Amino acid sequence: MQYAVLGKTGFKVSKLGLGGAALGGDFGLVSDDEVIRVVHEALDLGINFMDTAPLYGKGESERRIGKALKGRRDRVILATKAVMRGEAYSYENTIRSVEASLRRLQTDYVDLIQLHEAERTTFEEGMNGTVAAFLKLKEDGKVRAIGVNAGNPELLIPYIRTGNIDTVQTYCHYMLIDHSAKRLLFPVCREFRIGVINGSPLGMGILADKPAPFLNKNTDLLEEAERRKKQLDFLRKTPGQGGLAEPAMRFSLTCPDIAVTLTGTASVQELRANASYCDGAGLPEEDEQRVFALFSESPSLF
């Protein structure tokens, strides 16, 4: 397992982190026992960063992770988010959200609290409500660091420039077929020493040839993704066959601007496979430069 420092937090984190959406049952039914096995296997593999949210399984992901970490809390950098989708990003709602997360996670504090889905609020409400609440919770010792999450990386930049943010998390914008975060986000993160967490390096399953079911109705996106994937056949061990999971994971895991790449899985087998890619070996330089050249001018896929 490879490790990195998460920006100015100083946290030493595994470059592969365990994402919590699948553990809440968002991508298929999963039991408490299965989640416990995955969490314990992650710890055994050296994964010490776990990221969840009250949204995942409507609290089930947090509850299950809390159950799995009982007696092992000190072994992880634990991250969650606020607020639940549909609630206002107010100061009061944020405090209530975090307090509820702490109860489900069976802990007195979280290492990283993140404003979830910045697309669903305004910058003003996000700062005056949720981030203000985070700062109070940090003062009270209930959170150690503050982050913001958004699908659109450009929405993160105003938060970074306030100086109140330690980390950012985006998804589907640094992967083989869309690496727009490299241009839009990473330079600002370097300037402000912001830790970057990269979600969905497989593009919601697209690069593993298993698109998430909720993408099926987005035929234009899937058609464009397939067009781009065909240009990456040179990365497949057997051209035209097999997924691009391994090169996609290695592409993200070895990016110097990314501290943590998340894997969202409820499968011990998949977790072991992804952990095996976190050995410091990236794409051959010629292949990586070819990937950058292919899509440097392409619009964001998501």
Side-chain angles (χ1 to χ4, degrees):
M1 184 58 56
Q2 301 283 301
Y3 296 86
V5 176
L6 186 61
K8 59 187 176 182
T9 68
F11 300 157
K12 182 181 179 182
V13 292
S14 51
K15 296 206 75 172
L16 182 68
L18 180 62
L23 304 182
D26 287 357
F27 302 120
L29 293 176
V30 60
S31 69
D32 283 20
D33 287 344
E34 288 173 304
V35 170
I36 290 170
R37 281 195 292 272
V38 168
V39 170
H40 290 180
E41 181 67 21
L43 294 173
D44 290 344
L45 290 166
I47 294 171
N48 76 343
F49 185 88
M50 298 186 185
D51 176 79
T52 184
L55 177 66
Y56 304 155
K58 295 183 178 178
E60 281 296 277
S61 175
E62 290 182 324
R63 183 188 66 79
R64 288 166 170 166
I65 289 173
K67 185 176 180 180
L69 288 178
K70 197 167 184 178
R72 297 171 168 86
R73 171 66 182 90
D74 61 345
R75 295 179 59 183
V76 299
I77 301 296
L78 185 57
T80 192
K81 308 180 185 79
V83 295
M84 182 75 81
R85 185 179 291 173
E87 295 180 353
Y89 289 73
S90 67
Y91 185 96
E92 294 76 15
N93 281 347
T94 301
I95 297 289
R96 281 195 293 267
S97 179
V98 176
E99 295 285 3
S101 291
L102 293 174
R103 289 192 294 272
R104 287 189 291 264
L105 289 164
Q106 299 185 49
T107 185
D108 296 328
Y109 72 98
V110 290
D111 299 284
L112 174 63
I113 189 66
Q114 301 158 93
L115 184 154
H116 201 185
E117 300 183 318
E119 294 91 340
R120 295 181 179 272
T121 186
T122 64
F123 173 67
E124 291 74 18
E125 183 184 45
M127 284 300 304
N128 296 329
T130 293
V131 174
F134 287 169
L135 290 168
K136 178 61 167 65
L137 290 162
K138 185 176 181 180
E139 182 182 313
D140 292 343
K142 295 182 178 181
V143 307
R144 296 175 65 200
I146 296 170
V148 181
N149 160 287
N152 179 353
E154 292 182 281
L155 292 179
L156 300 168
I157 293 174
Y159 289 96
I160 293 170
R161 294 195 181 280
T162 66
N164 291 317
I165 302 301
D166 302 300
T167 72
V168 293
Q169 183 179 155
T170 188
Y171 53 93
C172 294
H173 285 84
Y174 191 85
M175 56 178 181
L176 292 174
I177 54 177
D178 180 349
H179 35 78
S180 50
K182 181 175 186 286
R183 170 175 51 86
L184 298 173
L185 181 63
F186 295 169
V188 181
C189 290
R190 285 195 296 270
E191 179 185 352
F192 287 83
R193 295 178 56 229
I194 297 296
V196 177
I197 302 161
N198 188 35
S200 292
L202 302 184
M204 304 292 186
I206 288 172
L207 293 171
D209 296 336
K210 298 176 183 177
F214 60 80
L215 293 177
N216 289 338
K217 58 186 177 183
N218 197 334
T219 54
D220 289 345
L221 183 149
L222 291 177
E223 286 174 4
E224 174 60 16
E226 286 303 311
R227 187 191 71 78
R228 296 187 191 188
K229 281 169 60 179
K230 286 178 182 177
Q231 298 178 71
L232 296 175
D233 271 351
F234 66 94
L235 294 177
R236 299 178 187 265
K237 292 182 178 178
T238 304
Q241 298 180 21
L244 290 160
E246 180 174 350
M249 291 300 297
R250 292 188 180 279
F251 180 69
S252 180
L253 286 164
T254 56
C255 175
D257 289 298
I258 294 171
V260 181
T261 295
L262 296 176
T263 176
T265 181
S267 161
V268 167
Q269 183 178 0
E270 287 183 5
L271 181 66
R272 288 172 180 164
N274 287 333
S276 73
Y277 308 144
C278 195
D279 56 6
L283 301 182
E285 184 176 355
E286 181 180 344
D287 288 350
E288 184 176 70
Q289 292 308 312
R290 188 171 173 185
V291 169
F292 287 140
L294 275 171
F295 307 117
S296 61
E297 302 300 325
S298 299
S300 294
L301 187 63
F302 282 85

